[in-house]
């Protein structure tokens, strides 16, 4: 049975500031629509929402013609880049904002967890806030009283329940908030990345509770997250939103793989055909960068257990004295992880002739942690030392945990933490005292 | 099973879901409770402030308007006269100020979860009622004091209109408040304009002067302000002094009804999309 049905849902936003222009646009819209009986003049010029590119219109479609059905008992993951329309979709579903066009039909009570602890008042005690927050979420007083013990128990903040919430740690506030939400018992639960907070123990508890809700009780869950791990754990189906459109939908595994590879596509391999636009200077122009596997074939992502090659192709525009290459690897949080220079030959008097060159630098297997990295390139001379060219981060490489990329991991928790994850050599254990 | 929730782009003009508001009645009482218990938490004097504020205001008026400006008080002792006005006006102004920023103050909650938005301003009106009740007690205490020392005042049958007067004050402030809060989501100028209009409004209402100081024609002009007849009726009913007219009172009542209908319609329209413009 269909639990939720989205019919042509679109949502338009106005970009920029709400300013004096707003009033003139409002008046113009009112005049065209109500006096002249024409269509809304600002509705038709909306364009595809791509935040990276400047558009000509002040209006964009955050969502455009979203059509899909969710079956009862489904746990649907909604993934997509920042600004793809995920939150807008959930906001419309939870009635926080109205769609511009289209309708949504749903069976049963919808509870949305766009944020836990909404409306908590810091001066009120935990118990008072359970009642307040529960009522905001649509529970009646009697319902809350019935579930009070369960909620307090689940939250694990029993000792502080009669203390004002402002004295709580942020983790405790989240626990209490989630505990209330988890006991709402709606037919449809809408969750937006609330699991990103709280400690590991609580996250496990929260995911477990959501699994119970969907599997055991046959409720429908819509779950938005950037964390592919929790989407994979929790959902059975998923959709990818991209620029306000549903680009793909299907089984969660396939969708996640598709999504990860599409994310990498952006900077995974870059080729500059037009030499004018290529990064470089009047001596060197970069033509192509990409990551390759051990057979030097371009790849979308590498496994932690494989060596990663970074391929560089560049053109030397005129004969020049000998130089070498280097790379810098940064994490996505801009931490400079490593720097490597091809400095085997410190002194070389030879001349590098005009032409196109290629080289590969190898990052050993079992060194980098899984995740995304950004790579910048440098060209320099060592005798005397001078830098010919340094580039911005041109390339993104992605490294995927071997375990996770295999079909279905049996124990997902075998994640190795740390900034890097080298395979180290351990001596055999020797008994020294008995 | 039928579809129970349907989300559409626009509501019809008069589609106000009263049943839904009724379903959320527990939330209403929770909000009222929250407003009352959090208002004076971590203050030394606590609810005593309910008394101190009107008492100090009354003394202030006695010095400035009664003492320096020598504005007559319909023959009543100044504390009684001013306090009667302050009790009415304070309730109206408090409700108005707090409901007029419903959307901007609550955007955090409104942006995260849906419930009938009208619950919020309605709960403000209700929680302020307690404050008014306490101030009314102060008025009664002062009243009894003056009776004991032998001042000739007596309530008359019109004192029975008191509940109606409170409802009218509540309705007017709710009506103005939700209209203003609906308009300020887009155009913030109104917030600035409005805060000072409320200050001026008090002088257009017979709080610090009696309506009887004016000629009958001017009294009718004054009565365009729907709060005027409420304050005057309150004084007339409780102390038997002042101007009372069924006509003026009926006008204020009609004004309130029209205002509330317009307010609810506008508010209902804005609540659907205010998150995009706030």
């Amino acid at each position: 049975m269909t639990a939720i049905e989205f019919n042509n849902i679109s949502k338009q936003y106005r970009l920029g500031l709400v300013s004096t222009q707003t009033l003139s646009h409002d008046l113009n819209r009112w005049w065209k629509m109500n006096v002249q009986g024409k269509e809304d003049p600002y509705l038709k010029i909306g364009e595809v929402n791509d935040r990276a590119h400047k558009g000509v219109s002040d209006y964009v479609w955050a969502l455009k013609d979203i059509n899909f059905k969710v079956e009862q008992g489904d746990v649907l993951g909604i993934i997509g880049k920042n600004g793809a329309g995920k939150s807008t979709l959930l906001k419309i579903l939870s009635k926080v904002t109205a769609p511009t066009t289209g309708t949504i039909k749903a069976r049963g009570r919808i509870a949305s967890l766009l944020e836990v602890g909404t409306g908590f008042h810091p001066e009120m005690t935990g118990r008072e806030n359970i009642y307040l927050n529960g009522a905001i979420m649509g529970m009646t007083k009697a319902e809350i009283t019935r579930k009070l013990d369960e909620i307090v128990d689940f939250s694990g903040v029993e000792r502080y329940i009669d203390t004002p919430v402002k004295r709580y740690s942020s983790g405790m506030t989240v626990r209490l908030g989630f505990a209330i939400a988890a006991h709402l018992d709606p037919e449809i639960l809408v969750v937006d990345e609330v699991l990103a907070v709280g400690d590991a123990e609580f996250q496990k508890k929260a995911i477990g509770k959501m699994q119970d809700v969907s599997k055991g009780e046959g409720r429908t869950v819509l779950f938005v997250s950037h964390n592919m791990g929790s989407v994979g754990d929790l959902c059975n189906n998923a959709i990818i939103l991209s620029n306000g459109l549903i680009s793909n939908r299907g089984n969660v595994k396939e969708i996640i793989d598709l999504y990860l590879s599409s994310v990498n596509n952006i900077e995974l391999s870059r080729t500059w055909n037009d030499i004018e636009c290529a990064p470089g200077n009047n001596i060197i122009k970069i033509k192509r960068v990409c990551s390759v596997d051990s057979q030097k074939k371009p790849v979308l992502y590498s496994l932690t257990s494989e060596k990663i090659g970074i391929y560089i192709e560049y053109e030397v525009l005129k004969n020049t004295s000998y130089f070498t290459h280097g790379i810098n690897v940064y994490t996505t949080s801009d931490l400079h992880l490593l720097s490597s220079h091809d400095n085997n030959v410190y002194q070389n008097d030879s001349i590098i002739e005009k032409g196109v060159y290629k080289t590969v630098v190898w990052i050993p297997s079992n060194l980098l942690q899984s995740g995304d990295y950004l790579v910048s390139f440098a060209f320099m001379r060592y005798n005397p030392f001078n830098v010919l060219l340094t580039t911005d981060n041109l390339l993104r490489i992605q490294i995927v945990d071997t375990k996770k990329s295999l079909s279905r991991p049996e124990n997902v928790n075998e994640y190795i933490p740390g900034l890097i994850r080298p395979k180290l050599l351990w001596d055999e254990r020797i008994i020294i005292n008995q | 099973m039928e579809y129970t929730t349907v989300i559409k782009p626009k509501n019809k003009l008069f589609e106000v879901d009263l049943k839904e508001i009724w379903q959320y009645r527990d939330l209403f009482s929770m909000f009222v409770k929250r407003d009352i218990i959090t208002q004076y938490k971590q203050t030394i004097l606590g609810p005593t402030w309910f008394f101190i504020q009107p008492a100090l205001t009354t003394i202030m008026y006695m010095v400035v308007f009664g003492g320096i400006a020598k504005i007559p008080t319909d023959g009543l002792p100044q504390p009684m006269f001013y306090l009667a006005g302050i009790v009415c006006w304070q309730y109206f102004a408090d409700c108005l100020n707090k409901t007029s920023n419903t959307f901007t103050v609550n955007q955090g909650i409104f942006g995260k979860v849906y419930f009938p938005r009208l619950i919020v301003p309605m709960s403000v009106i209700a929680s302020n009622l307690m404050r008014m009740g306490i101030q009314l007690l102060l008025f009664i205490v002062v009243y009894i004091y003056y009776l004991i020392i032998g001042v000739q005042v007596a309530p008359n049958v019109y004192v029975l209109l008191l509940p109606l007067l409170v409802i009218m004050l509540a309705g007017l402030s709710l009506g103005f408040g939700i209209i203003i809060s609906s308009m300020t989501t887009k155009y913030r100028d109104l917030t600035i304009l409005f805060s000072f209009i409320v200050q001026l409004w008090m002088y257009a209402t017979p709080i610090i002067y009696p309506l009887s100081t004016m000629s009958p024609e001017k009294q009718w002009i004054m009565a365009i302000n729907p709060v005027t007849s409420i304050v005057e009726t309150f004084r007339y009913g409780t102390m038997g002094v002042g101007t009372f007219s069924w006509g003026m009172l009926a006008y204020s009542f009609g004004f309130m009804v029209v205002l509330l209908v317009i307010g609810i319609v506008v508010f209902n329209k804005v609540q659907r999309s205010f998150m995009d413009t706030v």
Side-chain angles (χ1 to χ4, degrees):
Chain A
M1 191 173 66
T2 309
I4 318 169
E5 195 181 320
F6 292 79
N7 286 321
N8 291 317
I9 288 291
S10 298
K11 176 76 185 175
Q12 190 191 44
Y13 280 115
R14 188 180 196 284
L15 296 180
L17 294 167
V18 173
S19 62
T20 44
Q21 280 272 298
T22 323
L23 186 58
S24 69
H25 279 202
D26 282 353
L27 291 174
N28 189 8
R29 182 184 308 223
W30 181 84
W31 176 258
K32 288 257 163 62
M33 286 171 78
N34 295 343
V35 181
Q36 301 187 332
K38 288 184 188 162
E39 275 181 38
D40 188 334
Y42 297 105
L43 214 54
K44 57 192 169 198
I45 54 173
E47 38 187 65
V48 168
N49 176 22
D50 185 345
R51 75 187 140 80
H53 294 96
K54 194 167 160 47
V56 286
S57 165
D58 273 351
Y59 293 85
V60 290
W61 293 102
L63 289 175
K64 187 96 178 91
D65 297 331
I66 299 292
N67 280 297
F68 69 101
K69 288 178 183 173
V70 187
E71 293 299 312
Q72 203 198 337
D74 239 8
V75 184
L76 182 77
I78 300 171
I79 55 186
K81 285 184 290 178
N82 286 332
K86 304 183 298 289
S87 299
T88 307
L89 188 67
L90 293 201
K91 275 187 178 168
I92 292 174
L93 188 58
S94 45
K95 293 207 268 185
V96 165
T97 187
T100 310
T101 65
T103 52
I104 299 174
K105 289 177 186 162
R107 291 191 168 96
R109 185 158 79 162
I110 302 175
S112 61
L113 271 177
L114 300 195
E115 192 180 87
V116 292
T118 311
F120 270 7
H121 196 291
E123 298 285 351
M124 286 164 63
T125 68
R127 189 187 306 274
E128 286 166 340
N129 269 310
I130 291 178
Y131 277 97
L132 179 65
N133 183 253
I136 288 176
M137 303 287 230
M139 282 198 265
T140 63
K141 207 170 168 179
E143 235 177 304
I144 303 166
T145 310
R146 206 168 58 237
K147 290 178 187 159
L148 189 66
D149 291 340
E150 244 179 287
I151 293 172
V152 174
D153 194 45
F154 186 86
S155 68
V157 295
E158 195 165 2
R159 235 189 122 179
Y160 295 85
I161 204 66
D162 290 311
T163 307
V165 163
K166 65 176 173 182
R167 307 259 176 259
Y168 282 29
S169 74
S170 55
M172 280 158 61
T173 316
V174 170
R175 279 161 165 266
L176 189 65
F178 189 86
I180 301 163
H183 291 84
L184 277 174
D185 291 347
E187 280 77 22
I188 298 162
L189 184 64
V190 180
V191 186
D192 189 6
E193 300 214 77
V194 280
L195 304 175
V197 278
D199 55 19
E201 176 217 335
F202 188 71
Q203 284 192 16
K204 216 168 147 188
K205 209 168 166 182
I207 290 207
K209 176 73 191 176
M210 282 171 59
Q211 276 170 337
D212 291 350
V213 163
S214 60
K215 293 197 182 110
E217 299 157 35
R219 297 175 200 281
T220 313
V221 181
L222 269 73
F223 181 55
V224 164
S225 179
H226 284 289
N227 185 341
M228 293 305 135
S230 45
V231 172
D233 283 346
L234 204 63
C235 306
N236 46 18
N237 287 309
I239 59 174
I240 300 179
L241 276 182
S242 152
N243 296 331
L245 307 161
I246 295 183
S247 64
N248 292 92
R249 86 167 289 187
N251 173 279
V252 70
K253 229 38 283 102
E254 295 158 19
I255 291 292
I256 289 179
D257 284 349
L258 195 68
Y259 176 69
L260 284 179
S261 57
S262 76
V263 165
N264 301 336
N265 242 339
I266 313 163
E267 297 174 48
L268 184 102
S269 159
R270 289 181 76 174
T271 309
W272 291 270
N273 291 320
D274 183 1
I275 202 152
E276 290 298 311
C277 306
N281 53 25
N282 55 5
I283 304 173
I284 298 168
K285 285 279 185 188
I286 292 178
K287 287 179 76 80
R288 176 150 199 240
V289 290
C290 66
S291 54
V292 293
D293 65 7
S294 50
Q295 275 86 46
K296 296 198 181 177
K297 277 200 332 230
V299 286
L300 297 176
Y301 56 88
S302 316
L303 299 180
T304 47
S305 58
E306 287 174 357
K307 65 174 180 176
I308 305 142
I310 295 171
Y311 173 90
I312 316 154
E313 190 180 307
Y314 59 90
E315 185 167 356
V316 177
L317 301 173
K318 58 186 178 199
N319 291 357
T320 185
S321 53
Y322 186 82
F323 62 85
T324 69
H325 335 86
I327 57 161
N328 288 297
V329 178
Y330 297 87
T331 63
T332 46
S333 47
D334 213 24
L335 181 78
H336 192 168
L337 197 65
L338 64 89
S339 182
S340 169
H341 294 159
D342 150 25
N343 53 4
N344 300 331
V345 190
Y346 270 77
Q347 287 187 329
N348 194 321
D349 298 331
S350 61
I351 295 288
I352 295 176
E353 286 177 24
K354 192 170 169 243
V356 179
Y357 294 80
K358 65 176 182 182
T359 185
V360 177
V361 52
W362 296 99
I363 299 170
S365 61
N366 292 313
L367 174 65
L368 296 187
Q369 181 60 279
S370 61
D372 283 21
Y373 297 91
L374 301 169
V375 185
S376 71
F377 300 87
F379 296 82
M380 67 282 268
R381 295 192 184 99
Y382 274 94
N383 191 26
F385 181 84
N386 70 332
V387 177
L388 254 79
L389 170 67
T390 55
T391 69
D392 296 332
N393 292 334
L394 293 181
L395 179 70
R396 178 190 289 262
I397 56 175
Q398 193 178 35
I399 300 168
V400 177
D401 195 320
T402 313
K403 280 235 165 243
K404 287 222 168 188
S405 67
L406 294 176
S407 57
R408 176 76 186 164
E410 281 313 312
N411 41 0
V412 207
N413 293 335
E414 220 173 283
Y415 166 77
I416 304 167
L419 202 56
I420 55 171
R421 45 177 294 172
K423 253 200 172 141
L424 302 180
L425 189 66
W426 287 73
D427 276 355
E428 195 187 334
R429 137 170 55 195
I430 298 166
I431 190 163
I432 51 169
N433 201 350
Q434 197 161 27
Chain B
M1 197 168 130
E2 279 298 295
Y3 284 117
T4 49
T5 312
V6 178
I7 299 167
K8 287 175 304 196
K10 269 180 191 146
N11 274 352
K12 290 194 197 78
L13 204 53
F14 288 95
E15 201 178 320
V16 181
D17 201 342
L18 293 174
K19 210 173 86 192
E20 195 183 29
I21 293 176
W22 176 245
Q23 279 167 355
Y24 276 88
R25 61 192 181 278
D26 281 342
L27 179 62
F28 172 78
S29 60
M30 225 71 83
F31 274 146
V32 174
K33 203 175 133 196
R34 177 196 66 182
D35 287 350
I36 291 170
I37 65 177
T38 57
Q39 199 158 28
Y40 292 103
K41 270 209 176 170
Q42 274 205 4
T43 58
I44 298 167
L45 297 176
T48 324
W49 284 107
F50 286 130
F51 290 106
I52 296 173
Q53 281 164 353
L56 286 179
T57 316
T58 306
I59 292 167
M60 182 73 187
Y61 287 178
M62 284 164 66
V63 173
V64 178
F65 303 117
I68 300 170
K70 302 222 180 331
I71 297 170
T73 55
D74 260 353
L76 287 169
Q78 285 178 4
M80 288 181 84
F81 180 84
Y82 291 132
L83 204 51
I86 288 167
V87 168
C88 294
W89 180 257
Q90 204 62 46
Y91 177 65
F92 178 74
D94 281 350
C95 289
L96 194 49
N97 281 326
K98 283 204 186 130
T99 50
S100 64
N101 53 18
T102 304
F103 283 118
T104 32
V105 166
N106 292 290
Q107 55 176 300
I109 302 183
F110 286 1
K112 296 297 177 189
V113 62
Y114 174 80
F115 51 86
R117 307 312 194 200
L118 209 51
I119 297 271
V120 174
M122 279 167 62
S123 70
V124 168
I125 304 291
S127 59
N128 272 303
L129 216 49
M130 189 196 79
R131 191 186 167 122
M132 191 204 194
I134 291 175
Q135 295 183 350
L136 216 50
L137 276 182
L138 179 67
F139 176 71
I140 292 169
V141 169
V142 172
Y143 199 102
I144 291 170
Y145 167 79
Y146 278 104
L147 279 182
I148 291 169
I149 65 167
V151 176
Q152 290 299 314
V153 282
N156 55 39
V157 68
Y158 293 103
V159 80
L160 296 175
L161 286 173
L162 192 60
L164 178 72
L165 299 181
V166 175
I167 290 170
M168 284 168 69
L169 282 174
L172 282 170
S173 55
L174 181 66
F176 279 118
I178 60 182
I179 289 174
I180 288 151
S181 68
S182 306
M183 297 199 298
T184 47
T185 61
K186 251 187 185 174
Y187 311 109
R188 294 289 165 82
D189 316 37
L190 287 168
T191 329
I192 306 163
L193 178 70
F194 183 69
S195 60
F196 108 98
I197 283 186
V198 174
Q199 285 174 19
L200 296 186
W201 197 342
M202 191 190 87
Y203 296 98
T205 313
I207 306 297
I208 52 162
Y209 55 85
L211 195 58
S212 59
T213 50
M214 298 184 174
S215 62
E217 307 87 69
K218 279 193 186 146
Q219 284 184 12
W220 270 106
I221 294 170
M222 287 298 293
I224 292 172
N225 170 5
V227 192
T228 300
S229 70
I230 300 174
V231 176
E232 282 295 318
T233 309
F234 180 82
R235 287 213 183 100
Y236 186 73
T238 50
M239 299 175 289
V241 182
T243 318
F244 175 77
S245 135
W246 281 110
M248 286 183 193
L249 202 61
Y251 159 78
S252 293
F253 191 82
F255 193 103
M256 176 200 78
V257 172
V258 173
L259 189 73
L260 266 183
V261 170
I262 295 173
I264 290 170
V265 167
V266 172
F267 189 87
N268 204 44
K269 197 171 156 56
V270 168
Q271 70 161 1
R272 305 267 301 156
S273 64
F274 92 99
M275 273 318 293
D276 310 337
T277 53
V278 76

